[in-house]
Every structure is written in C-alpha cells, then in structure tokens.
Amino acid sequence: MTATFIPVEDIEADFEATALSGVPLALTAAVKPDYATNRAVGWSIVSSGTTNASLAGNVLTASDGGTVTVRGTIINGVSQDPQVHF
C-alpha cells in the first residue's frame, strides 16, 4: 500500500518579530495541516538590509539594527517571508 502524500498548505512564523542585535533568535514555524507529509522547515535570508545578519540552521543573528526578511520553505509545500526587526 502506498502512503498518501499530504502537502503543506500554510506556514505560520512562530517567533518574535522583534529581536536584539547580537542575540541569537531561533526561527520556528507552525505547519498546517498538522498531518502534512513533509513538515520540516528550512530557513534562508531573503534580505538582510544593513543588519549583517547570518543564519546557522534555524538560528538567526544580526550584529546591527535594521530589518531582516527570512524565508521558511518546505519541500513540496509552501514558503513564507516574515520579517524580523533588530
């Protein structure tokens, strides 16, 4: 029997939209539906502006103030581009 593939319909950022410069921020997300086949979220920086932001796995750090736009993506699913303000 072949398992039915259930695609992700939505990703909701589940972290503070404001953070302190130099303090690591763990990026997390709520994936909908809860029973989707692929639920792991991969993160990337879309725009770091003037923040000198870096990303290690799901941990975002910025050394300067400004706005960072990150993207959460699921393979065969959807993506979302929330912003974080430092």
Side-chain angles (χ1 to χ4, degrees):
M1 179 176 202
T2 303
T4 302
F5 177 80
I6 309 293
V8 169
E9 296 172 2
D10 191 26
I11 302 170
E12 295 176 10
D14 190 19
F15 53 86
E16 294 295 324
T18 302
L20 297 174
S21 298
V23 178
L25 174 67
L27 304 178
T28 57
V31 177
K32 307 286 181 167
D34 294 336
Y35 50 87
T37 303
N38 298 327
R39 299 180 44 79
V41 178
W43 296 96
S44 61
I45 295 174
V46 175
S47 173
S48 61
T50 60
T51 64
N52 292 315
S54 63
L55 191 58
N58 72 319
V59 179
L60 177 68
T61 306
S63 60
D64 297 317
T67 299
V68 179
T69 301
V70 294
R71 176 172 290 143
T73 303
I74 295 181
I75 297 171
N76 296 322
V78 296
S79 65
Q80 181 189 42
D81 297 351
Q83 292 184 335
V84 180
H85 305 280
F86 287 90

